[in-house]
Coordinates of all heavy atoms in Angstrom, one line a residue:
M1 N 16.5 14.9 -25.5 CA 15.0 15.0 -25.2 C 14.8 14.2 -23.8 O 15.3 13.1 -23.6 CB 14.3 14.4 -26.2 CG 12.7 14.7 -26.1 SD 11.8 14.2 -27.6 CE 11.7 12.4 -27.5
E2 N 14.0 14.8 -23.0 CA 13.7 14.2 -21.7 C 12.7 13.0 -21.8 O 11.7 13.2 -22.5 CB 13.1 15.2 -20.7 CG 13.2 14.8 -19.3 CD 12.7 15.9 -18.3 OE1 13.2 17.1 -18.7 OE2 12.0 15.7 -17.5
E3 N 13.0 11.8 -21.2 CA 12.1 10.7 -21.3 C 11.0 10.8 -20.3 O 11.3 11.4 -19.2 CB 12.8 9.4 -21.1 CG 13.8 9.0 -22.2 CD 14.4 7.7 -22.0 OE1 13.9 6.8 -21.3 OE2 15.6 7.5 -22.5
A4 N 9.9 10.3 -20.6 CA 8.8 10.3 -19.6 C 9.1 9.4 -18.4 O 9.7 8.4 -18.5 CB 7.5 9.8 -20.2
A5 N 8.8 9.9 -17.2 CA 9.2 9.2 -16.0 C 8.4 7.9 -15.9 O 7.2 7.9 -16.3 CB 8.9 10.0 -14.8
E6 N 9.0 6.8 -15.5 CA 8.3 5.6 -15.4 C 7.4 5.6 -14.2 O 7.8 6.0 -13.1 CB 9.3 4.4 -15.2 CG 8.8 3.0 -15.2 CD 9.8 2.0 -14.9 OE1 10.9 2.4 -14.6 OE2 9.4 0.8 -14.9
K7 N 6.2 5.1 -14.4 CA 5.1 5.2 -13.3 C 5.5 4.0 -12.4 O 5.7 2.8 -12.9 CB 3.7 5.0 -13.9 CG 2.7 5.1 -12.8 CD 2.6 6.4 -12.2 CE 1.8 6.4 -10.8 NZ 2.3 7.2 -9.8
R8 N 5.5 4.1 -11.2 CA 5.8 3.0 -10.2 C 4.6 2.7 -9.3 O 3.9 3.7 -8.9 CB 7.0 3.4 -9.5 CG 8.3 3.4 -10.3 CD 9.5 3.4 -9.5 NE 10.6 3.3 -10.4 CZ 11.4 2.1 -10.6 NH1 11.1 1.1 -9.8 NH2 12.4 2.2 -11.4
Y9 N 4.5 1.5 -8.9 CA 3.4 1.0 -8.1 C 4.1 0.2 -7.0 O 5.0 -0.5 -7.3 CB 2.4 0.2 -8.9 CG 1.8 0.9 -10.0 CD1 2.4 0.8 -11.3 CD2 0.7 1.7 -9.9 CE1 1.9 1.5 -12.4 CE2 0.1 2.3 -11.0 CZ 0.7 2.3 -12.2 OH 0.2 2.9 -13.3
A10 N 3.5 0.2 -5.8 CA 4.0 -0.6 -4.8 C 2.8 -1.0 -3.8 O 1.8 -0.4 -3.8 CB 5.1 0.2 -3.9
V11 N 3.1 -2.2 -3.1 CA 2.1 -2.6 -2.1 C 2.9 -2.7 -0.8 O 4.0 -3.2 -0.8 CB 1.6 -4.0 -2.4 CG1 0.9 -4.6 -1.2 CG2 0.7 -4.0 -3.7
V12 N 2.3 -2.1 0.3 CA 3.0 -2.2 1.6 C 2.1 -2.8 2.5 O 0.9 -2.5 2.7 CB 3.3 -0.7 2.0 CG1 4.0 -0.7 3.4 CG2 4.1 0.0 1.1
T13 N 2.6 -3.9 3.2 CA 1.8 -4.7 4.2 C 2.0 -4.0 5.5 O 3.0 -3.3 5.9 CB 2.4 -6.1 4.2 OG1 3.7 -6.1 4.7 CG2 2.2 -6.7 2.9
G14 N 1.0 -4.2 6.4 CA 1.0 -3.7 7.7 C 1.3 -2.2 7.8 O 2.1 -1.7 8.6
A15 N 0.5 -1.5 7.0 CA 0.8 -0.1 6.6 C 0.0 0.9 7.3 O 0.0 2.1 7.1 CB 0.8 0.1 5.2
N16 N -0.8 0.4 8.3 CA -1.7 1.4 9.0 C -0.9 2.1 10.1 O -1.4 3.2 10.6 CB -2.9 0.8 9.7 CG -2.5 -0.5 10.6 OD1 -2.1 -1.5 10.1 ND2 -2.7 -0.3 11.9
K17 N 0.3 1.7 10.4 CA 1.1 2.5 11.4 C 2.6 2.1 11.3 O 2.9 1.2 10.5 CB 0.6 2.2 12.8 CG 0.8 0.8 13.3 CD 0.3 0.5 14.7 CE 0.6 -0.9 15.1 NZ 0.1 -1.1 16.5
G18 N 3.4 2.7 12.1 CA 4.8 2.3 12.1 C 5.6 2.4 10.9 O 5.3 3.3 10.0
I19 N 6.5 1.5 10.6 CA 7.4 1.6 9.5 C 6.7 1.4 8.2 O 6.9 2.1 7.2 CB 8.5 0.4 9.6 CG1 9.4 0.6 10.7 CG2 9.2 0.3 8.2 CD1 10.2 -0.6 11.0
G20 N 5.5 0.6 8.2 CA 4.7 0.4 7.0 C 4.1 1.8 6.6 O 4.1 2.2 5.4
F21 N 3.5 2.5 7.6 CA 2.9 3.8 7.3 C 3.9 4.8 6.7 O 3.7 5.4 5.7 CB 2.2 4.3 8.5 CG 1.5 5.6 8.3 CD1 0.3 5.7 7.8 CD2 2.2 6.8 8.7 CE1 -0.4 6.9 7.5 CE2 1.5 8.0 8.5 CZ 0.3 8.1 7.9
G22 N 5.0 4.8 7.4 CA 6.1 5.6 6.9 C 6.6 5.3 5.5 O 6.9 6.2 4.7
T23 N 6.6 4.1 5.2 CA 7.1 3.6 3.9 C 6.0 4.1 2.8 O 6.4 4.6 1.8 CB 7.2 2.1 3.9 OG1 8.2 1.7 4.7 CG2 7.6 1.6 2.4
V24 N 4.7 3.9 3.1 CA 3.7 4.4 2.1 C 4.0 5.9 2.0 O 3.9 6.4 0.8 CB 2.3 4.1 2.7 CG1 1.3 4.8 1.8 CG2 2.1 2.6 2.7
K25 N 4.0 6.6 3.0 CA 4.1 8.1 2.9 C 5.4 8.5 2.0 O 5.3 9.4 1.2 CB 4.2 8.7 4.3 CG 4.1 10.2 4.3 CD 4.0 10.8 5.7 CE 3.7 12.2 5.7 NZ 3.6 12.7 7.1
G26 N 6.5 7.7 2.4 CA 7.8 8.1 1.6 C 7.7 7.8 0.1 O 8.0 8.6 -0.8
L27 N 7.0 6.6 -0.3 CA 6.9 6.3 -1.6 C 6.0 7.1 -2.4 O 6.2 7.6 -3.5 CB 6.5 4.8 -1.8 CG 7.5 3.7 -1.3 CD1 6.8 2.3 -1.3 CD2 8.6 3.6 -2.3
A28 N 4.7 7.5 -1.8 CA 3.8 8.3 -2.4 C 4.4 9.7 -2.6 O 4.1 10.3 -3.5 CB 2.5 8.3 -1.6
S29 N 5.1 10.2 -1.6 CA 5.8 11.5 -1.7 C 6.7 11.6 -2.9 O 6.9 12.7 -3.4 CB 6.5 11.9 -0.4 OG 5.6 11.9 0.7
K30 N 7.2 10.4 -3.3 CA 8.1 10.4 -4.4 C 7.3 10.1 -5.7 O 8.0 9.9 -6.8 CB 9.2 9.4 -4.2 CG 10.2 9.8 -3.2 CD 11.3 8.7 -3.1 CE 12.3 9.1 -2.0 NZ 13.0 10.4 -2.3
G31 N 6.0 10.1 -5.6 CA 5.2 9.9 -6.9 C 4.7 8.5 -7.2 O 4.1 8.4 -8.2
A32 N 5.1 7.5 -6.4 CA 4.6 6.2 -6.7 C 3.1 6.0 -6.2 O 2.6 6.8 -5.3 CB 5.4 5.2 -5.8
T33 N 2.4 5.2 -7.0 CA 1.0 4.8 -6.5 C 1.2 3.7 -5.6 O 1.8 2.6 -5.9 CB 0.3 4.5 -7.8 OG1 0.0 5.6 -8.6 CG2 -1.2 4.0 -7.3
V34 N 0.6 3.8 -4.3 CA 0.8 2.8 -3.4 C -0.5 2.2 -2.8 O -1.4 2.9 -2.5 CB 1.6 3.4 -2.1 CG1 2.0 2.4 -1.2 CG2 2.8 4.2 -2.6
V35 N -0.4 0.9 -2.7 CA -1.6 0.2 -2.1 C -1.3 0.0 -0.6 O -0.3 -0.7 -0.3 CB -1.8 -1.2 -2.7 CG1 -3.0 -1.8 -2.1 CG2 -2.0 -1.1 -4.2
L36 N -1.9 0.9 0.2 CA -1.7 0.7 1.7 C -2.6 -0.5 2.1 O -3.8 -0.4 2.0 CB -2.2 2.0 2.4 CG -2.0 2.2 3.9 CD1 -1.9 3.6 4.2 CD2 -3.1 1.5 4.6
T37 N -2.0 -1.4 2.7 CA -2.8 -2.6 3.2 C -2.6 -2.7 4.7 O -1.6 -2.3 5.4 CB -2.2 -3.9 2.5 OG1 -1.1 -4.3 3.2 CG2 -2.3 -3.9 1.0
A38 N -3.8 -3.1 5.3 CA -3.9 -3.4 6.8 C -4.8 -4.5 7.0 O -5.7 -4.7 6.2 CB -4.3 -2.1 7.5
R39 N -4.5 -5.3 8.0 CA -5.5 -6.4 8.3 C -6.9 -5.9 8.8 O -7.8 -6.7 8.6 CB -4.9 -7.4 9.3 CG -4.5 -6.8 10.7 CD -4.0 -7.9 11.5 NE -3.3 -7.3 12.7 CZ -2.7 -8.0 13.6 NH1 -2.7 -9.3 13.5 NH2 -2.1 -7.4 14.7
D40 N -6.8 -4.7 9.4 CA -8.1 -4.2 9.9 C -8.5 -3.0 9.0 O -7.8 -2.0 8.9 CB -7.9 -3.7 11.3 CG -9.2 -3.1 11.9 OD1 -10.0 -3.9 12.6 OD2 -9.5 -1.9 11.8
E41 N -9.7 -3.1 8.4 CA -10.1 -2.1 7.4 C -10.3 -0.8 8.0 O -9.9 0.2 7.4 CB -11.5 -2.6 6.8 CG -12.0 -1.6 5.8 CD -13.2 -2.1 5.0 OE1 -13.7 -3.2 5.3 OE2 -13.6 -1.4 4.1
K42 N -10.8 -0.7 9.3 CA -11.0 0.6 9.9 C -9.6 1.3 10.2 O -9.4 2.5 9.8 CB -11.8 0.4 11.3 CG -12.0 1.7 12.0 CD -13.1 1.5 13.1 CE -13.4 2.7 13.9 NZ -12.2 3.1 14.8
R43 N -8.7 0.6 10.7 CA -7.4 1.2 10.9 C -6.7 1.5 9.6 O -6.0 2.6 9.5 CB -6.5 0.2 11.7 CG -6.9 0.1 13.2 CD -5.8 -0.6 14.0 NE -5.6 -2.1 13.8 CZ -6.3 -3.0 14.4 NH1 -7.2 -2.6 15.2 NH2 -6.0 -4.3 14.1
G44 N -6.9 0.8 8.6 CA -6.3 1.0 7.3 C -6.9 2.3 6.7 O -6.1 3.1 6.2
L45 N -8.3 2.4 6.8 CA -8.9 3.6 6.1 C -8.5 4.9 6.9 O -8.4 6.0 6.3 CB -10.4 3.4 6.1 CG -10.9 2.4 5.0 CD1 -12.3 2.1 5.1 CD2 -10.4 2.8 3.6
E46 N -8.4 4.7 8.2 CA -7.9 5.9 9.0 C -6.5 6.4 8.6 O -6.2 7.6 8.5 CB -7.9 5.6 10.5 CG -9.2 5.6 11.2 CD -9.3 5.0 12.6 OE1 -8.2 4.6 13.2 OE2 -10.3 4.9 13.2
A47 N -5.6 5.4 8.3 CA -4.3 5.8 7.8 C -4.3 6.4 6.5 O -3.6 7.4 6.2 CB -3.4 4.4 7.7
V48 N -5.2 5.9 5.6 CA -5.4 6.6 4.3 C -5.8 8.0 4.4 O -5.4 8.9 3.7 CB -6.4 5.7 3.4 CG1 -6.7 6.5 2.1 CG2 -5.7 4.4 3.0
G49 N -6.7 8.2 5.4 CA -7.3 9.6 5.7 C -6.1 10.5 6.1 O -6.2 11.6 5.7
K50 N -5.2 10.0 7.0 CA -4.1 10.9 7.4 C -3.2 11.2 6.1 O -2.8 12.4 6.0 CB -3.2 10.1 8.4 CG -3.8 10.0 9.8 CD -2.9 9.3 10.7 CE -3.6 8.8 11.9 NZ -2.9 7.7 12.6
L51 N -3.1 10.3 5.2 CA -2.3 10.6 4.1 C -3.0 11.6 3.1 O -2.4 12.4 2.4 CB -1.8 9.3 3.3 CG -0.9 8.4 4.3 CD1 -0.7 7.1 3.6 CD2 0.4 9.2 4.4
A52 N -4.3 11.4 3.1 CA -5.0 12.3 2.3 C -4.9 13.8 2.8 O -4.8 14.7 2.1 CB -6.5 11.9 2.2
E53 N -4.9 13.9 4.2 CA -4.7 15.2 4.8 C -3.3 15.8 4.4 O -3.1 17.0 4.4 CB -4.8 15.1 6.3 CG -6.2 15.0 6.8 CD -6.3 14.6 8.3 OE1 -5.3 14.8 9.0 OE2 -7.4 14.1 8.7
A54 N -2.4 14.9 4.1 CA -1.0 15.3 3.8 C -0.9 15.5 2.3 O 0.2 15.7 1.7 CB 0.0 14.3 4.2
G55 N -2.0 15.5 1.6 CA -2.1 15.8 0.1 C -1.8 14.7 -0.8 O -1.4 14.7 -2.0
L56 N -1.9 13.4 -0.3 CA -1.4 12.2 -1.0 C -2.7 11.4 -1.5 O -2.5 10.2 -1.9 CB -0.5 11.3 -0.3 CG 0.9 12.1 0.1 CD1 1.7 11.3 1.1 CD2 1.7 12.4 -1.2
S57 N -3.9 11.9 -1.5 CA -5.1 11.1 -1.7 C -5.1 10.5 -3.1 O -5.5 9.4 -3.2 CB -6.3 11.9 -1.5 OG -6.4 13.0 -2.3
E58 N -4.4 11.2 -4.1 CA -4.5 10.7 -5.5 C -3.6 9.5 -5.6 O -3.7 8.7 -6.5 CB -4.0 11.7 -6.4 CG -4.8 13.0 -6.4 CD -6.2 12.7 -7.1 OE1 -6.2 12.2 -8.1 OE2 -7.2 13.1 -6.5
L59 N -2.6 9.2 -4.7 CA -1.6 8.2 -4.9 C -1.7 7.0 -3.9 O -1.0 6.1 -4.1 CB -0.2 8.9 -4.7 CG 0.2 9.8 -5.8 CD1 1.4 10.7 -5.4 CD2 0.4 9.1 -7.1
V60 N -2.6 7.0 -3.0 CA -2.7 6.0 -2.0 C -4.1 5.3 -2.1 O -5.1 6.0 -1.9 CB -2.4 6.5 -0.6 CG1 -2.6 5.4 0.4 CG2 -1.1 7.1 -0.5
V61 N -4.1 4.0 -2.3 CA -5.4 3.3 -2.3 C -5.3 2.2 -1.1 O -4.3 1.8 -0.9 CB -5.7 2.7 -3.6 CG1 -6.0 3.7 -4.7 CG2 -4.7 1.7 -4.0
F62 N -6.4 1.9 -0.6 CA -6.5 0.9 0.5 C -7.0 -0.4 -0.1 O -7.8 -0.5 -0.9 CB -7.3 1.4 1.6 CG -7.6 0.3 2.7 CD1 -6.6 0.0 3.5 CD2 -8.9 -0.4 2.7 CE1 -6.7 -1.0 4.5 CE2 -8.9 -1.4 3.6 CZ -7.9 -1.7 4.5
H63 N -6.4 -1.5 0.5 CA -7.0 -2.8 0.3 C -6.6 -3.6 1.6 O -5.5 -3.5 2.1 CB -6.4 -3.5 -0.9 CG -7.2 -4.8 -1.3 ND1 -7.2 -5.9 -0.7 CD2 -8.2 -4.8 -2.2 CE1 -8.2 -6.8 -1.2 NE2 -8.8 -6.0 -2.1
Q64 N -7.6 -4.3 2.1 CA -7.3 -5.2 3.3 C -6.4 -6.3 2.9 O -6.4 -6.9 1.9 CB -8.8 -5.8 3.7 CG -8.7 -6.4 5.1 CD -8.3 -7.8 5.1 OE1 -8.3 -8.5 4.0 NE2 -8.0 -8.4 6.2
L65 N -5.5 -6.5 3.9 CA -4.6 -7.7 3.8 C -4.2 -8.2 5.2 O -3.6 -7.5 5.9 CB -3.4 -7.4 3.0 CG -2.3 -8.5 2.9 CD1 -2.8 -9.8 2.2 CD2 -1.1 -8.0 2.3
D66 N -4.5 -9.4 5.5 CA -3.9 -10.2 6.6 C -3.0 -11.2 6.0 O -3.4 -12.1 5.4 CB -5.0 -10.9 7.4 CG -4.5 -11.6 8.6 OD1 -3.3 -11.9 8.7 OD2 -5.2 -11.7 9.6
V67 N -1.6 -11.0 6.3 CA -0.7 -11.8 5.6 C -0.7 -13.3 6.0 O -0.2 -14.1 5.3 CB 0.8 -11.3 5.8 CG1 0.9 -9.8 5.2 CG2 1.2 -11.3 7.3
T68 N -1.5 -13.6 7.1 CA -1.6 -15.0 7.5 C -2.8 -15.6 7.0 O -3.0 -16.8 7.3 CB -1.7 -15.0 9.1 OG1 -2.9 -14.4 9.5 CG2 -0.5 -14.4 9.8
D69 N -3.6 -14.9 6.2 CA -4.8 -15.5 5.7 C -4.8 -15.6 4.2 O -4.8 -14.7 3.4 CB -6.0 -14.5 6.1 CG -7.4 -15.0 5.5 OD1 -7.4 -16.0 4.7 OD2 -8.3 -14.2 5.8
P70 N -4.6 -16.9 3.6 CA -4.5 -17.1 2.2 C -5.6 -16.5 1.3 O -5.3 -16.0 0.3 CB -4.5 -18.6 2.1 CG -4.1 -19.2 3.4 CD -4.6 -18.2 4.4
S71 N -6.9 -16.5 1.8 CA -7.9 -15.9 1.1 C -7.7 -14.4 0.9 O -8.0 -13.8 -0.1 CB -9.2 -16.3 1.7 OG -9.5 -15.6 2.8
S72 N -7.2 -13.8 2.0 CA -7.0 -12.4 2.0 C -5.8 -12.0 1.1 O -5.9 -11.1 0.2 CB -6.6 -11.9 3.4 OG -6.2 -10.5 3.4
V73 N -4.8 -12.8 1.0 CA -3.7 -12.7 0.1 C -4.1 -12.8 -1.4 O -3.8 -12.0 -2.3 CB -2.5 -13.7 0.4 CG1 -1.4 -13.6 -0.6 CG2 -1.9 -13.4 1.7
S74 N -4.9 -13.8 -1.6 CA -5.5 -14.0 -2.9 C -6.4 -12.9 -3.4 O -6.3 -12.4 -4.5 CB -6.3 -15.4 -2.9 OG -6.8 -15.6 -4.1
S75 N -7.2 -12.4 -2.5 CA -8.0 -11.2 -2.8 C -7.1 -10.0 -3.2 O -7.4 -9.3 -4.2 CB -8.9 -10.9 -1.7 OG -9.6 -9.7 -1.9
L76 N -6.1 -9.8 -2.5 CA -5.2 -8.7 -2.8 C -4.5 -8.8 -4.1 O -4.5 -7.9 -5.0 CB -4.1 -8.5 -1.7 CG -3.2 -7.3 -2.0 CD1 -3.7 -6.0 -2.0 CD2 -1.9 -7.4 -1.2
A77 N -4.1 -10.1 -4.4 CA -3.4 -10.3 -5.7 C -4.3 -10.0 -6.8 O -3.9 -9.4 -7.9 CB -2.9 -11.8 -5.7
D78 N -5.6 -10.4 -6.7 CA -6.5 -10.2 -7.8 C -6.8 -8.7 -8.0 O -6.8 -8.2 -9.1 CB -7.9 -10.8 -7.4 CG -7.8 -12.4 -7.6 OD1 -6.9 -12.9 -8.1 OD2 -8.7 -13.0 -7.0
F79 N -6.9 -8.0 -6.8 CA -7.1 -6.5 -6.9 C -5.9 -5.8 -7.7 O -6.1 -5.0 -8.5 CB -7.1 -6.0 -5.5 CG -7.2 -4.5 -5.3 CD1 -8.3 -3.8 -5.6 CD2 -6.0 -3.8 -5.0 CE1 -8.4 -2.4 -5.4 CE2 -6.1 -2.4 -4.9 CZ -7.2 -1.7 -5.1
V80 N -4.7 -6.3 -7.3 CA -3.5 -5.6 -7.9 C -3.5 -5.9 -9.4 O -3.2 -5.1 -10.2 CB -2.3 -6.1 -7.2 CG1 -1.0 -5.6 -8.0 CG2 -2.2 -5.5 -5.8
K81 N -3.7 -7.1 -9.7 CA -3.7 -7.6 -11.1 C -4.7 -6.8 -12.0 O -4.5 -6.3 -13.0 CB -3.9 -9.1 -11.3 CG -3.4 -9.7 -12.5 CD -3.6 -11.1 -12.6 CE -2.8 -11.9 -11.7 NZ -3.0 -13.4 -11.8
T82 N -5.9 -6.7 -11.4 CA -7.0 -6.0 -12.1 C -6.7 -4.5 -12.2 O -7.0 -3.9 -13.3 CB -8.4 -6.2 -11.3 OG1 -8.6 -7.6 -11.3 CG2 -9.5 -5.6 -12.0
K83 N -6.3 -3.9 -11.2 CA -6.1 -2.5 -11.1 C -4.8 -1.9 -11.8 O -4.8 -0.9 -12.4 CB -6.2 -2.0 -9.7 CG -6.5 -0.4 -9.6 CD -7.0 -0.1 -8.1 CE -7.1 1.4 -7.9 NZ -8.2 2.0 -8.6
F84 N -3.7 -2.7 -11.6 CA -2.5 -2.2 -12.1 C -1.8 -3.1 -13.1 O -0.9 -2.6 -13.8 CB -1.5 -1.9 -10.9 CG -2.1 -1.1 -9.8 CD1 -2.4 -1.6 -8.6 CD2 -2.3 0.2 -10.1 CE1 -2.9 -0.8 -7.5 CE2 -2.9 1.1 -9.0 CZ -3.1 0.5 -7.9
G85 N -2.2 -4.4 -13.2 CA -1.6 -5.3 -14.1 C -0.2 -5.7 -13.8 O 0.1 -6.9 -14.0
N86 N 0.5 -4.9 -13.2 CA 2.0 -5.2 -12.9 C 2.4 -4.6 -11.6 O 1.8 -3.5 -11.2 CB 2.9 -4.6 -14.0 CG 4.2 -5.1 -13.9 OD1 4.5 -6.1 -13.4 ND2 5.1 -4.4 -14.6
L87 N 3.3 -5.3 -10.9 CA 3.8 -4.7 -9.7 C 5.3 -4.6 -9.6 O 6.0 -5.6 -9.9 CB 3.3 -5.6 -8.5 CG 3.5 -5.2 -7.1 CD1 2.7 -4.0 -6.8 CD2 3.1 -6.3 -6.2
I88 N 5.8 -3.4 -9.3 CA 7.2 -3.2 -9.3 C 8.0 -3.7 -8.0 O 8.9 -4.4 -8.1 CB 7.6 -1.7 -9.5 CG1 6.9 -1.2 -10.8 CG2 9.1 -1.5 -9.5 CD1 7.4 -1.8 -12.0
S89 N 7.3 -3.3 -6.9 CA 8.1 -3.7 -5.7 C 7.1 -4.1 -4.6 O 6.0 -3.5 -4.4 CB 8.8 -2.4 -5.1 OG 9.7 -1.9 -6.2
W90 N 7.5 -5.1 -3.8 CA 6.8 -5.5 -2.5 C 7.7 -4.9 -1.4 O 8.9 -5.2 -1.3 CB 6.6 -6.9 -2.4 CG 5.6 -7.5 -3.2 CD1 5.7 -7.9 -4.5 CD2 4.2 -7.8 -2.9 NE1 4.5 -8.4 -5.0 CE2 3.6 -8.4 -4.0 CE3 3.5 -7.6 -1.7 CZ2 2.3 -8.7 -4.0 CZ3 2.2 -7.9 -1.7 CH2 1.6 -8.5 -2.8
Y91 N 7.1 -4.2 -0.5 CA 7.8 -3.8 0.7 C 7.1 -4.6 1.9 O 6.0 -4.2 2.4 CB 7.7 -2.3 0.9 CG 8.5 -1.5 -0.1 CD1 8.0 -1.3 -1.3 CD2 9.8 -1.1 0.2 CE1 8.7 -0.7 -2.2 CE2 10.5 -0.4 -0.7 CZ 10.0 -0.3 -1.9 OH 10.8 0.4 -2.9
D92 N 7.7 -5.7 2.2 CA 7.0 -6.6 3.2 C 7.6 -6.3 4.6 O 8.7 -6.6 5.0 CB 7.3 -8.0 2.8 CG 6.5 -9.0 3.6 OD1 5.7 -8.5 4.5 OD2 6.7 -10.1 3.5
I93 N 6.8 -5.6 5.5 CA 7.3 -5.1 6.8 C 6.9 -6.2 7.8 O 5.7 -6.6 7.9 CB 6.6 -3.8 7.1 CG1 6.9 -2.7 6.2 CG2 7.1 -3.4 8.5 CD1 8.3 -2.3 6.0
Ligands
LIG101 N1 10.6 0.1 14.7 C1 11.9 -0.2 14.4 O1 12.7 0.6 14.6 C2 12.2 -1.5 13.8 C3 13.5 -1.9 13.6 C4 13.8 -3.1 13.0 C5 12.8 -4.0 12.7 N2 11.5 -3.7 13.0 C6 10.5 -4.7 12.6 O2 9.7 -4.2 11.6 C7 8.3 -4.6 11.9 C8 7.4 -3.4 11.9 O3 7.8 -2.6 12.9 P1 7.0 -1.4 13.4 O4 7.7 -0.6 14.5 O5 6.4 -0.6 12.2 O6 5.8 -2.1 14.1 P2 4.2 -1.6 14.5 O7 4.2 -0.2 14.6 O8 3.8 -2.5 15.5 O9 3.4 -2.1 13.1 C9 3.3 -3.4 12.7 C10 2.3 -3.4 11.6 O10 2.1 -4.8 11.2 C11 0.7 -5.1 11.1 N3 0.4 -6.5 11.2 C12 0.6 -7.4 12.3 N4 0.2 -8.6 11.9 C13 -0.3 -8.5 10.6 C14 -1.0 -9.5 9.8 N5 -1.1 -10.7 10.2 N6 -1.3 -9.0 8.6 C15 -1.1 -7.8 8.2 N7 -0.5 -6.8 9.0 C16 -0.2 -7.2 10.2 C17 0.1 -4.3 12.3 O11 -1.3 -4.2 12.1 P3 -2.2 -3.9 13.4 O12 -2.2 -2.4 13.7 O13 -3.6 -4.4 12.9 O14 -1.7 -4.7 14.6 C18 0.9 -3.0 12.0 O15 0.3 -2.3 11.0 C19 8.3 -5.4 13.1 O16 8.5 -6.8 12.8 C20 9.6 -4.9 13.9 O17 10.1 -5.9 14.7 C21 11.2 -2.4 13.5

């Protein structure tokens, strides 16, 4: 009997462009739910929009994160805990 596939979640930092953006796209394309984070909300939401155009809107959510700002890190941690409860992988670019 086939087992149900395990649901995976990831958070990607600096994901509005470059390697981070590509990582989000790759993980979501494989079925993971991904929190795309960026320090600038506008740039982050634009990146989410591009992934929505690629058909990944159900799997990508945005949250602001500046990795140098402790209050921003704390806010993201609270968001992840509330929304997903558990985190499988951090991809820190
Ligand atoms: N590209 C390569 O082939 C390669 C190879 C080996 C290693 N690397 C390293 O991998 C890293 C990413 O490379 P990349 O080519 O993807 O660079 P990139 O296109 O410049 O992207 C860097 C990302 O990091 C974000 N960022 C910068 N400071 C941040 C902060 N304080 N908090 C949150 N996000 C922040 C940027 O956001 P903003 O848009 O707001 O600036 C951007 O989204 C770099 O450290 C690079 O040296 C790259």
